[in-house]
PDB file of all heavy atoms in Angstrom:
ATOM      1  N   ASP C  10       9.272  -4.281   8.836  1.00 84.00           N
ATOM      2  CA  ASP C  10       8.238  -4.203   9.827  1.00 84.00           C
ATOM      3  C   ASP C  10       7.016  -5.002   9.430  1.00 84.00           C
ATOM      4  O   ASP C  10       6.214  -4.578   8.456  1.00 84.00           O
ATOM      5  CB  ASP C  10       7.836  -2.743   9.958  1.00 84.00           C
ATOM      6  CG  ASP C  10       6.716  -2.558  11.061  1.00 84.00           C
ATOM      7  OD1 ASP C  10       6.411  -3.480  11.764  1.00 84.00           O
ATOM      8  OD2 ASP C  10       6.256  -1.376  11.144  1.00 84.00           O
ATOM      9  N   PRO C  11       6.700  -6.144  10.092  1.00 82.00           N
ATOM     10  CA  PRO C  11       5.532  -6.929   9.697  1.00 82.00           C
ATOM     11  C   PRO C  11       4.254  -6.301  10.090  1.00 82.00           C
ATOM     12  O   PRO C  11       3.161  -6.780   9.701  1.00 82.00           O
ATOM     13  CB  PRO C  11       5.790  -8.259  10.439  1.00 82.00           C
ATOM     14  CG  PRO C  11       6.573  -7.824  11.642  1.00 82.00           C
ATOM     15  CD  PRO C  11       7.485  -6.746  11.170  1.00 82.00           C
ATOM     16  N   TYR C  12       4.309  -5.280  10.897  1.00 84.00           N
ATOM     17  CA  TYR C  12       3.115  -4.492  11.196  1.00 84.00           C
ATOM     18  C   TYR C  12       2.718  -3.426  10.221  1.00 84.00           C
ATOM     19  O   TYR C  12       1.586  -3.151   9.963  1.00 84.00           O
ATOM     20  CB  TYR C  12       3.223  -3.986  12.707  1.00 84.00           C
ATOM     21  CG  TYR C  12       3.475  -5.048  13.677  1.00 84.00           C
ATOM     22  CD1 TYR C  12       4.674  -5.460  14.076  1.00 84.00           C
ATOM     23  CD2 TYR C  12       2.349  -5.601  14.397  1.00 84.00           C
ATOM     24  CE1 TYR C  12       4.899  -6.551  15.030  1.00 84.00           C
ATOM     25  CE2 TYR C  12       2.520  -6.602  15.350  1.00 84.00           C
ATOM     26  CZ  TYR C  12       3.835  -7.064  15.654  1.00 84.00           C
ATOM     27  OH  TYR C  12       3.946  -7.998  16.589  1.00 84.00           O
ATOM     28  N   GLY C  13       3.716  -2.742   9.803  1.00 87.00           N
ATOM     29  CA  GLY C  13       3.512  -1.582   8.865  1.00 87.00           C
ATOM     30  C   GLY C  13       3.430  -2.003   7.419  1.00 87.00           C
ATOM     31  O   GLY C  13       3.010  -1.221   6.595  1.00 87.00           O
ATOM     32  N   SER C  14       3.984  -3.185   7.069  1.00 88.00           N
ATOM     33  CA  SER C  14       4.035  -3.545   5.645  1.00 88.00           C
ATOM     34  C   SER C  14       2.840  -4.216   5.068  1.00 88.00           C
ATOM     35  O   SER C  14       2.680  -4.451   3.894  1.00 88.00           O
ATOM     36  CB  SER C  14       5.289  -4.467   5.330  1.00 88.00           C
ATOM     37  OG  SER C  14       5.175  -5.631   6.098  1.00 88.00           O
ATOM     38  N   LEU C  15       1.815  -4.553   5.937  1.00 91.00           N
ATOM     39  CA  LEU C  15       0.595  -5.245   5.543  1.00 91.00           C
ATOM     40  C   LEU C  15      -0.590  -4.270   5.718  1.00 91.00           C
ATOM     41  O   LEU C  15      -0.741  -3.676   6.816  1.00 91.00           O
ATOM     42  CB  LEU C  15       0.300  -6.498   6.375  1.00 91.00           C
ATOM     43  CG  LEU C  15       1.564  -7.428   6.374  1.00 91.00           C
ATOM     44  CD1 LEU C  15       1.046  -8.727   7.172  1.00 91.00           C
ATOM     45  CD2 LEU C  15       1.897  -7.950   4.973  1.00 91.00           C
ATOM     46  N   ASP C  16      -1.398  -4.059   4.678  1.00 93.00           N
ATOM     47  CA  ASP C  16      -2.543  -3.124   4.703  1.00 93.00           C
ATOM     48  C   ASP C  16      -3.575  -3.695   5.639  1.00 93.00           C
ATOM     49  O   ASP C  16      -4.108  -4.824   5.393  1.00 93.00           O
ATOM     50  CB  ASP C  16      -3.095  -2.932   3.416  1.00 93.00           C
ATOM     51  CG  ASP C  16      -4.114  -1.836   3.252  1.00 93.00           C
ATOM     52  OD1 ASP C  16      -4.777  -1.654   4.276  1.00 93.00           O
ATOM     53  OD2 ASP C  16      -4.240  -1.180   2.195  1.00 93.00           O
ATOM     54  N   PRO C  17      -3.952  -3.073   6.767  1.00 93.00           N
ATOM     55  CA  PRO C  17      -4.875  -3.608   7.688  1.00 93.00           C
ATOM     56  C   PRO C  17      -6.319  -3.676   7.176  1.00 93.00           C
ATOM     57  O   PRO C  17      -7.162  -4.346   7.759  1.00 93.00           O
ATOM     58  CB  PRO C  17      -4.822  -2.629   8.911  1.00 93.00           C
ATOM     59  CG  PRO C  17      -4.299  -1.312   8.282  1.00 93.00           C
ATOM     60  CD  PRO C  17      -3.419  -1.727   7.171  1.00 93.00           C
ATOM     61  N   ARG C  18      -6.561  -3.060   6.058  1.00 94.00           N
ATOM     62  CA  ARG C  18      -7.886  -2.968   5.475  1.00 94.00           C
ATOM     63  C   ARG C  18      -8.137  -4.219   4.486  1.00 94.00           C
ATOM     64  O   ARG C  18      -9.327  -4.486   4.047  1.00 94.00           O
ATOM     65  CB  ARG C  18      -8.210  -1.766   4.747  1.00 94.00           C
ATOM     66  CG  ARG C  18      -8.065  -0.479   5.561  1.00 94.00           C
ATOM     67  CD  ARG C  18      -8.028   0.744   4.782  1.00 94.00           C
ATOM     68  NE  ARG C  18      -6.822   0.782   3.959  1.00 94.00           N
ATOM     69  CZ  ARG C  18      -6.490   1.749   3.065  1.00 94.00           C
ATOM     70  NH1 ARG C  18      -7.348   2.793   2.918  1.00 94.00           N
ATOM     71  NH2 ARG C  18      -5.364   1.659   2.305  1.00 94.00           N
ATOM     72  N   MET C  19      -7.074  -4.982   4.237  1.00 95.00           N
ATOM     73  CA  MET C  19      -7.130  -5.984   3.187  1.00 95.00           C
ATOM     74  C   MET C  19      -7.082  -7.338   3.914  1.00 95.00           C
ATOM     75  O   MET C  19      -6.437  -7.533   4.919  1.00 95.00           O
ATOM     76  CB  MET C  19      -6.039  -5.909   2.251  1.00 95.00           C
ATOM     77  CG  MET C  19      -6.037  -4.599   1.415  1.00 95.00           C
ATOM     78  SD  MET C  19      -4.519  -4.278   0.432  1.00 95.00           S
ATOM     79  CE  MET C  19      -4.530  -5.766  -0.604  1.00 95.00           C
ATOM     80  N   THR C  20      -7.874  -8.289   3.389  1.00 96.00           N
ATOM     81  CA  THR C  20      -7.720  -9.709   3.851  1.00 96.00           C
ATOM     82  C   THR C  20      -6.338 -10.238   3.468  1.00 96.00           C
ATOM     83  O   THR C  20      -5.641  -9.695   2.595  1.00 96.00           O
ATOM     84  CB  THR C  20      -8.811 -10.569   3.323  1.00 96.00           C
ATOM     85  OG1 THR C  20      -8.623 -10.649   1.868  1.00 96.00           O
ATOM     86  CG2 THR C  20     -10.161 -10.063   3.628  1.00 96.00           C
ATOM     87  N   VAL C  21      -5.964 -11.323   4.176  1.00 96.00           N
ATOM     88  CA  VAL C  21      -4.703 -11.910   3.834  1.00 96.00           C
ATOM     89  C   VAL C  21      -4.610 -12.442   2.382  1.00 96.00           C
ATOM     90  O   VAL C  21      -3.612 -12.321   1.686  1.00 96.00           O
ATOM     91  CB  VAL C  21      -4.397 -13.104   4.821  1.00 96.00           C
ATOM     92  CG1 VAL C  21      -3.194 -14.010   4.335  1.00 96.00           C
ATOM     93  CG2 VAL C  21      -4.100 -12.600   6.180  1.00 96.00           C
ATOM     94  N   ALA C  22      -5.767 -12.874   1.861  1.00 96.00           N
ATOM     95  CA  ALA C  22      -5.860 -13.362   0.508  1.00 96.00           C
ATOM     96  C   ALA C  22      -5.514 -12.246  -0.459  1.00 96.00           C
ATOM     97  O   ALA C  22      -4.723 -12.420  -1.424  1.00 96.00           O
ATOM     98  CB  ALA C  22      -7.219 -13.944   0.184  1.00 96.00           C
ATOM     99  N   ARG C  23      -6.068 -11.088  -0.283  1.00 95.00           N
ATOM    100  CA  ARG C  23      -5.788  -9.886  -1.116  1.00 95.00           C
ATOM    101  C   ARG C  23      -4.341  -9.484  -0.983  1.00 95.00           C
ATOM    102  O   ARG C  23      -3.742  -9.037  -1.977  1.00 95.00           O
ATOM    103  CB  ARG C  23      -6.741  -8.757  -0.785  1.00 95.00           C
ATOM    104  CG  ARG C  23      -8.177  -8.944  -1.282  1.00 95.00           C
ATOM    105  CD  ARG C  23      -8.987  -7.737  -1.063  1.00 95.00           C
ATOM    106  NE  ARG C  23      -8.401  -6.505  -1.743  1.00 95.00           N
ATOM    107  CZ  ARG C  23      -8.738  -5.284  -1.429  1.00 95.00           C
ATOM    108  NH1 ARG C  23      -9.614  -5.000  -0.496  1.00 95.00           N
ATOM    109  NH2 ARG C  23      -8.262  -4.304  -2.215  1.00 95.00           N
ATOM    110  N   ILE C  24      -3.832  -9.494   0.259  1.00 96.00           N
ATOM    111  CA  ILE C  24      -2.427  -9.092   0.493  1.00 96.00           C
ATOM    112  C   ILE C  24      -1.420  -9.941  -0.271  1.00 96.00           C
ATOM    113  O   ILE C  24      -0.562  -9.533  -0.966  1.00 96.00           O
ATOM    114  CB  ILE C  24      -2.089  -9.120   2.002  1.00 96.00           C
ATOM    115  CG1 ILE C  24      -2.904  -8.025   2.745  1.00 96.00           C
ATOM    116  CG2 ILE C  24      -0.633  -9.003   2.213  1.00 96.00           C
ATOM    117  CD1 ILE C  24      -2.764  -8.052   4.201  1.00 96.00           C
ATOM    118  N   VAL C  25      -1.656 -11.282  -0.092  1.00 95.00           N
ATOM    119  CA  VAL C  25      -0.767 -12.240  -0.690  1.00 95.00           C
ATOM    120  C   VAL C  25      -0.787 -12.184  -2.258  1.00 95.00           C
ATOM    121  O   VAL C  25       0.095 -12.291  -3.029  1.00 95.00           O
ATOM    122  CB  VAL C  25      -1.044 -13.729  -0.226  1.00 95.00           C
ATOM    123  CG1 VAL C  25      -0.148 -14.691  -0.953  1.00 95.00           C
ATOM    124  CG2 VAL C  25      -0.721 -13.822   1.198  1.00 95.00           C
ATOM    125  N   ALA C  26      -2.057 -11.940  -2.802  1.00 95.00           N
ATOM    126  CA  ALA C  26      -2.266 -11.975  -4.259  1.00 95.00           C
ATOM    127  C   ALA C  26      -1.894 -10.601  -4.851  1.00 95.00           C
ATOM    128  O   ALA C  26      -1.920 -10.465  -6.119  1.00 95.00           O
ATOM    129  CB  ALA C  26      -3.809 -12.200  -4.566  1.00 95.00           C
ATOM    130  N   GLU C  27      -1.567  -9.579  -4.033  1.00 94.00           N
ATOM    131  CA  GLU C  27      -1.293  -8.186  -4.545  1.00 94.00           C
ATOM    132  C   GLU C  27      -0.313  -8.171  -5.667  1.00 94.00           C
ATOM    133  O   GLU C  27      -0.550  -7.408  -6.699  1.00 94.00           O
ATOM    134  CB  GLU C  27      -0.985  -7.261  -3.374  1.00 94.00           C
ATOM    135  CG  GLU C  27      -0.954  -5.779  -3.735  1.00 94.00           C
ATOM    136  CD  GLU C  27      -0.804  -4.956  -2.488  1.00 94.00           C
ATOM    137  OE1 GLU C  27      -0.374  -5.475  -1.457  1.00 94.00           O
ATOM    138  OE2 GLU C  27      -0.999  -3.730  -2.588  1.00 94.00           O
ATOM    139  N   PRO C  28       0.841  -8.871  -5.625  1.00 93.00           N
ATOM    140  CA  PRO C  28       1.822  -8.737  -6.599  1.00 93.00           C
ATOM    141  C   PRO C  28       1.405  -9.415  -7.981  1.00 93.00           C
ATOM    142  O   PRO C  28       2.112  -9.158  -8.983  1.00 93.00           O
ATOM    143  CB  PRO C  28       3.053  -9.392  -6.075  1.00 93.00           C
ATOM    144  CG  PRO C  28       2.837  -9.479  -4.583  1.00 93.00           C
ATOM    145  CD  PRO C  28       1.363  -9.686  -4.497  1.00 93.00           C
ATOM    146  N   LEU C  29       0.420 -10.220  -8.010  1.00 93.00           N
ATOM    147  CA  LEU C  29       0.077 -10.905  -9.174  1.00 93.00           C
ATOM    148  C   LEU C  29      -0.611  -9.942 -10.222  1.00 93.00           C
ATOM    149  O   LEU C  29      -1.270  -8.999  -9.824  1.00 93.00           O
ATOM    150  CB  LEU C  29      -0.956 -12.028  -8.952  1.00 93.00           C
ATOM    151  CG  LEU C  29      -0.482 -13.258  -8.144  1.00 93.00           C
ATOM    152  CD1 LEU C  29      -1.609 -14.176  -7.737  1.00 93.00           C
ATOM    153  CD2 LEU C  29       0.542 -13.974  -8.910  1.00 93.00           C
ATOM    154  N   PRO C  30      -0.387 -10.152 -11.521  1.00 89.00           N
ATOM    155  CA  PRO C  30      -1.031  -9.319 -12.530  1.00 89.00           C
ATOM    156  C   PRO C  30      -2.584  -9.349 -12.460  1.00 89.00           C
ATOM    157  O   PRO C  30      -3.120 -10.358 -12.034  1.00 89.00           O
ATOM    158  CB  PRO C  30      -0.592  -9.957 -13.861  1.00 89.00           C
ATOM    159  CG  PRO C  30       0.607 -10.757 -13.570  1.00 89.00           C
ATOM    160  CD  PRO C  30       0.481 -11.200 -12.104  1.00 89.00           C
ATOM    161  N   ARG C  31      -3.126  -8.254 -12.687  1.00 86.00           N
ATOM    162  CA  ARG C  31      -4.639  -8.171 -12.539  1.00 86.00           C
ATOM    163  C   ARG C  31      -5.344  -9.111 -13.488  1.00 86.00           C
ATOM    164  O   ARG C  31      -6.498  -9.525 -13.211  1.00 86.00           O
ATOM    165  CB  ARG C  31      -5.071  -6.711 -12.869  1.00 86.00           C
ATOM    166  CG  ARG C  31      -4.698  -5.715 -11.827  1.00 86.00           C
ATOM    167  CD  ARG C  31      -5.269  -4.281 -12.068  1.00 86.00           C
ATOM    168  NE  ARG C  31      -4.961  -3.373 -11.038  1.00 86.00           N
ATOM    169  CZ  ARG C  31      -5.357  -2.154 -11.011  1.00 86.00           C
ATOM    170  NH1 ARG C  31      -6.175  -1.729 -11.913  1.00 86.00           N
ATOM    171  NH2 ARG C  31      -4.977  -1.372 -10.020  1.00 86.00           N
ATOM    172  N   ALA C  32      -4.697  -9.536 -14.593  1.00 87.00           N
ATOM    173  CA  ALA C  32      -5.337 -10.377 -15.561  1.00 87.00           C
ATOM    174  C   ALA C  32      -5.254 -11.809 -15.169  1.00 87.00           C
ATOM    175  O   ALA C  32      -5.743 -12.713 -15.846  1.00 87.00           O
ATOM    176  CB  ALA C  32      -4.615 -10.200 -16.936  1.00 87.00           C
ATOM    177  N   THR C  33      -4.657 -12.094 -14.032  1.00 91.00           N
ATOM    178  CA  THR C  33      -4.583 -13.543 -13.579  1.00 91.00           C
ATOM    179  C   THR C  33      -5.957 -14.116 -13.309  1.00 91.00           C
ATOM    180  O   THR C  33      -6.681 -13.457 -12.561  1.00 91.00           O
ATOM    181  CB  THR C  33      -3.655 -13.603 -12.303  1.00 91.00           C
ATOM    182  OG1 THR C  33      -2.384 -13.008 -12.496  1.00 91.00           O
ATOM    183  CG2 THR C  33      -3.490 -15.107 -11.876  1.00 91.00           C
ATOM    184  N   PRO C  34      -6.293 -15.247 -13.795  1.00 94.00           N
ATOM    185  CA  PRO C  34      -7.649 -15.782 -13.617  1.00 94.00           C
ATOM    186  C   PRO C  34      -7.895 -16.015 -12.049  1.00 94.00           C
ATOM    187  O   PRO C  34      -7.007 -16.318 -11.279  1.00 94.00           O
ATOM    188  CB  PRO C  34      -7.600 -17.150 -14.312  1.00 94.00           C
ATOM    189  CG  PRO C  34      -6.532 -16.904 -15.388  1.00 94.00           C
ATOM    190  CD  PRO C  34      -5.554 -16.028 -14.721  1.00 94.00           C
ATOM    191  N   ARG C  35      -9.166 -15.873 -11.611  1.00 93.00           N
ATOM    192  CA  ARG C  35      -9.413 -16.044 -10.248  1.00 93.00           C
ATOM    193  C   ARG C  35      -9.086 -17.347  -9.674  1.00 93.00           C
ATOM    194  O   ARG C  35      -8.587 -17.365  -8.564  1.00 93.00           O
ATOM    195  CB  ARG C  35     -10.981 -15.751 -10.070  1.00 93.00           C
ATOM    196  CG  ARG C  35     -11.400 -15.640  -8.613  1.00 93.00           C
ATOM    197  CD  ARG C  35     -12.935 -15.350  -8.479  1.00 93.00           C
ATOM    198  NE  ARG C  35     -13.163 -14.000  -9.007  1.00 93.00           N
ATOM    199  CZ  ARG C  35     -14.349 -13.489  -8.960  1.00 93.00           C
ATOM    200  NH1 ARG C  35     -15.440 -14.155  -8.533  1.00 93.00           N
ATOM    201  NH2 ARG C  35     -14.542 -12.213  -9.399  1.00 93.00           N
ATOM    202  N   ALA C  36      -9.285 -18.357 -10.416  1.00 95.00           N
ATOM    203  CA  ALA C  36      -8.992 -19.676  -9.877  1.00 95.00           C
ATOM    204  C   ALA C  36      -7.517 -19.864  -9.678  1.00 95.00           C
ATOM    205  O   ALA C  36      -7.035 -20.470  -8.660  1.00 95.00           O
ATOM    206  CB  ALA C  36      -9.548 -20.754 -10.858  1.00 95.00           C
ATOM    207  N   GLU C  37      -6.717 -19.303 -10.629  1.00 95.00           N
ATOM    208  CA  GLU C  37      -5.259 -19.421 -10.438  1.00 95.00           C
ATOM    209  C   GLU C  37      -4.727 -18.590  -9.311  1.00 95.00           C
ATOM    210  O   GLU C  37      -3.815 -18.981  -8.485  1.00 95.00           O
ATOM    211  CB  GLU C  37      -4.559 -18.984 -11.711  1.00 95.00           C
ATOM    212  CG  GLU C  37      -3.021 -19.080 -11.676  1.00 95.00           C
ATOM    213  CD  GLU C  37      -2.301 -18.630 -12.880  1.00 95.00           C
ATOM    214  OE1 GLU C  37      -2.997 -18.400 -13.947  1.00 95.00           O
ATOM    215  OE2 GLU C  37      -1.083 -18.370 -12.859  1.00 95.00           O
ATOM    216  N   THR C  38      -5.373 -17.368  -9.053  1.00 94.00           N
ATOM    217  CA  THR C  38      -5.081 -16.593  -7.970  1.00 94.00           C
ATOM    218  C   THR C  38      -5.270 -17.260  -6.628  1.00 94.00           C
ATOM    219  O   THR C  38      -4.422 -17.296  -5.736  1.00 94.00           O
ATOM    220  CB  THR C  38      -5.814 -15.223  -8.048  1.00 94.00           C
ATOM    221  OG1 THR C  38      -5.483 -14.513  -9.171  1.00 94.00           O
ATOM    222  CG2 THR C  38      -5.495 -14.335  -6.842  1.00 94.00           C
TER     223      THR C  38
END
């Protein structure tokens, strides 16, 4: 479900970056 699987409160940038480790540098993210 492309409607239910994306958090409506998050920007697309945050959604796409979500699986990356938290320690990933901002520029690389």
Side-chain angles (χ1 to χ4, degrees):
D10 182 9
Y12 297 90
S14 63
L15 306 181
D16 191 331
R18 301 165 298 179
M19 297 170 62
T20 64
V21 169
R23 287 186 60 197
I24 289 171
V25 174
E27 193 174 12
L29 293 173
R31 291 186 178 181
T33 305
R35 182 176 298 181
E37 182 182 347
T38 297

